């Protein structure tokens, strides 16, 4: 191998090294801090960058994406001297890479330490119960303190969260017992409220039921009283009509018997014979032990014959009946029409009253109070006599 060949190879290698040192490829989401002769010159990101070989160099590459760091549990003492372990999650982003490189040795450790110090300061002024119930307040204070402290480092704190707050085991047991007691207390209160509401509803239902029952009994009593009144009125009307019919019948019977006797022209001898026939029946009473015919009985019959009879030529009194007029003969001969006396058809007014009473009895209790059915009052005109077959 000649000297020229070796020199050419060295020259080629030098060119390759110079080209490699003069070109830098920065990925998307990263930023490179470039120094020239040991001094900061510029920050480049996301692309191909040209450098002056052996003069410019990349000091560091910084991830500019939003990053989430979960720091280990930190022991923090509360205001009531209880130690709790708190896990913290911090979300931040590097906005100025040169400050993150030149402003702090390790910005991640710096964020962790500031978070711990700020957390102890915030939680130290709260009790355990306030710490457990004030996560949002602690998060806001931590974010504000971290954002103010890390601004000079080129960081932006976007979110701080307390991932877990773990009190001591003994405190956890006490809290569980307290929560159990609170839940049992609320359960008992809810049960009492439910029982109270149920009792109120039951009482209201019983009240409504009693009211409805009283209303029903009231309506039933009204209907029963009205029905009894109407029944009494109808019975009175029936009894009056029956008495009138019986009187009419007796009068017609007497009139018929009288007309028949007059039409038959019965003599006093027949009447005397009938009287003698009835005498034994008069003596049939259990209290009649002795029955005496008066001695003047014959004289009475003789006087009766002299009064009503005429004396013939032979000296015997004979009864001569009077002439029967046409009206008496007509009454004696005619037959009474008694077919309608035994009719069982209901009176139309009575049927209408029964239908009205049934309609009121079937009416719902929830509606308006039923009105008493209108029935014929005693002051209304009586049932026509013609309805019972009575002739005036």
């Amino acid at each position: 191998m000649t000297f020229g060949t070796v020199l050419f190879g060295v020259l080629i290698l030098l060119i390759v090294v110079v080209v490699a040192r003069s070109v830098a490829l920065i990925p998307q989401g990263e930023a490179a801090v470039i120094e020239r002769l040991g001094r900061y010159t510029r920050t480049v990101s996301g692309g191909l960058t040209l450098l002056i070989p052996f003069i410019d160099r990349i000091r560091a590459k910084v991830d500019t994406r939003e990053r989430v760091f979960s720091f280990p549990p930190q022991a923090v003492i509360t205001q009531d001297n209880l130690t709790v372990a708190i896990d913290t999650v911090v979300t931040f982003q590097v906005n100025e890479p040169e400050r993150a490189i030149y402003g702090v040795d390790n910005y991640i450790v710096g964020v962790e330490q500031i978070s711990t110090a700020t957390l102890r300061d915030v939680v130290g002024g709260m009790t355990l119960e306030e710490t457990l119930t004030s996560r949002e307040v602690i998060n806001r204070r931590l974010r504000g303190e971290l954002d103010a402290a890390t601004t000079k480092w080129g960081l932006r704190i976007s979110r701080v969260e307390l991932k877990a707050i773990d009190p001591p085991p003994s405190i956890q047991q006490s809290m569980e017992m307290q929560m159990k007691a609170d839940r049992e207390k609320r359960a008992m209160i809810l049960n009492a409220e439910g029982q109270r509401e149920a009792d109120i509803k039951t009482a209201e239902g019983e009240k409504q039921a009693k009211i409805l029952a009283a209303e029903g009994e009231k309506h039933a009593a009204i209907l029963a009283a009205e029905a009894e009144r109407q029944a009494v009125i109808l019975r009175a009307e029936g009894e009056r009509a029956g008495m009138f019919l019986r009187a009419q019948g007796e009068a017609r019977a007497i009139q018929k018997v009288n007309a028949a006797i007059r039409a038959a022209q019965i003599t006093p001898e027949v009447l005397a014979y009938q009287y003698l026939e009835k005498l034994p029946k008069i003596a049939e009473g259990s209290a009649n032990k002795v029955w005496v015919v008066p001695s003047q009985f014959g004289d009475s019959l003789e006087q009766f014959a002299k009064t009503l009879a005429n004396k013939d030529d032979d000296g015997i009194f004979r009864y001569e009946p009077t002439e029967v007029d046409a009206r008496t003969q007509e009454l004696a001969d005619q037959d009474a029409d008694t077919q309608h006396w035994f009719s069982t058809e209901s009176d139309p007014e009575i049927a209408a009253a029964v239908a009205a009473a049934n309609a009121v009895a079937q009416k719902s209790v929830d509606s308006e109070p039923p009105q008493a059915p209108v029935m014929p009052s005693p002051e209304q005109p009586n049932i026509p006599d013609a309805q019972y077959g009575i002739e005036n």
Side-chain angles (χ1 to χ4, degrees), residues 145-167:
E145 294 290 339
L146 285 174
D147 200 24
T150 59
T151 300
K152 60 182 179 179
W153 297 344
L155 305 181
R156 182 181 65 84
I157 305 298
S158 58
R159 192 175 183 85
V160 178
E161 293 289 343
L162 300 183
K163 185 169 65 174
I165 301 177
D166 298 326

Side-chain angles (χ1 to χ4, degrees), residues 183-248:
R183 286 193 295 269
E184 291 178 353
K185 173 184 176 182
R186 289 195 295 268
M188 293 177 65
I189 291 174
L190 290 176
N191 289 334
E193 289 290 335
Q195 185 64 34
R196 174 174 172 270
E197 293 293 332
D199 292 341
I200 291 174
K201 295 295 183 182
T202 302
E204 289 289 338
E206 293 177 354
K207 173 184 175 183
Q208 294 296 329
K210 290 181 179 180
I211 291 174
L212 293 177
E215 288 290 335
E217 293 176 358
K218 171 186 174 183
H219 299 330
I222 292 173
L223 292 176
E226 186 63 27
E228 182 64 24
R229 185 177 75 89
Q230 297 299 330
V232 171
I233 293 173
L234 292 176
R235 282 195 294 269
E237 291 287 340
E239 292 175 359
R240 187 191 67 172
M243 293 174 65
F244 186 78
L245 286 174
R246 284 192 295 271
Q248 289 286 336

Side-chain angles (χ1 to χ4, degrees), residues 103-331:
V104 64
D105 179 33
N106 189 335
Y107 57 85
I108 294 178
V109 176
V111 169
E112 180 182 0
Q113 296 301 320
I114 294 176
S115 299
T116 302
T118 306
L119 184 62
R120 288 175 178 174
D121 180 57
V122 173
V123 175
M126 296 181 177
T127 62
L128 177 61
E129 185 175 357
E130 292 174 348
T131 302
L132 295 174
T133 58
S134 304
R135 287 174 176 260
E136 189 63 28
V137 176
I138 298 174
N139 293 338
R140 285 199 305 268
R141 291 191 59 181
L142 281 176
R143 181 179 178 280
E145 294 290 339
L146 285 174
D147 200 24
T150 59
T151 300
K152 60 182 179 179
W153 297 344
L155 305 181
R156 182 181 65 84
I157 305 298
S158 58
R159 192 175 183 85
V160 178
E161 293 289 343
L162 300 183
K163 185 169 65 174
I165 301 177
D166 298 326
S170 60
I171 301 300
Q172 290 184 5
Q173 293 178 1
S174 300
M175 292 173 61
E176 290 176 358
M177 293 176 63
Q178 182 181 2
M179 292 176 63
K180 181 179 179 181
D182 289 339
R183 286 193 295 269
E184 291 178 353
K185 173 184 176 182
R186 289 195 295 268
M188 293 177 65
I189 291 174
L190 290 176
N191 289 334
E193 289 290 335
Q195 185 64 34
R196 174 174 172 270
E197 293 293 332
D199 292 341
I200 291 174
K201 295 295 183 182
T202 302
E204 289 289 338
E206 293 177 354
K207 173 184 175 183
Q208 294 296 329
K210 290 181 179 180
I211 291 174
L212 293 177
E215 288 290 335
E217 293 176 358
K218 171 186 174 183
H219 299 330
I222 292 173
L223 292 176
E226 186 63 27
E228 182 64 24
R229 185 177 75 89
Q230 297 299 330
V232 171
I233 293 173
L234 292 176
R235 282 195 294 269
E237 291 287 340
E239 292 175 359
R240 187 191 67 172
M243 293 174 65
F244 186 78
L245 286 174
R246 284 192 295 271
Q248 289 286 336
E250 292 175 358
R252 291 295 179 85
I254 294 172
Q255 187 179 15
K256 184 73 173 177
V257 170
N258 186 28
I261 293 174
R262 292 177 62 186
Q265 296 182 348
I266 299 175
T267 62
E269 290 83 355
V270 175
L271 294 176
Y273 178 73
Q274 289 291 327
Y275 181 72
L276 292 175
E277 279 187 344
K278 298 299 181 182
L279 287 178
K281 291 185 177 182
I282 295 175
E284 286 179 358
S286 58
N288 298 328
K289 302 301 182 181
V290 178
W291 188 74
V292 179
V293 178
S295 58
Q296 294 85 5
F297 183 72
D299 297 336
S300 299
L301 290 178
E302 181 179 358
Q303 187 65 27
F304 178 76
K306 290 180 179 180
T307 303
L308 300 178
N310 296 322
K311 186 177 181 180
D312 292 339
D313 296 337
D314 54 1
I316 298 174
F317 291 90
R318 288 183 175 83
Y319 176 77
E320 294 180 1
T322 58
E323 296 293 333
V324 180
D325 56 4
R327 175 60 178 170
T328 302
Q329 189 66 39
E330 181 181 358
L331 288 176

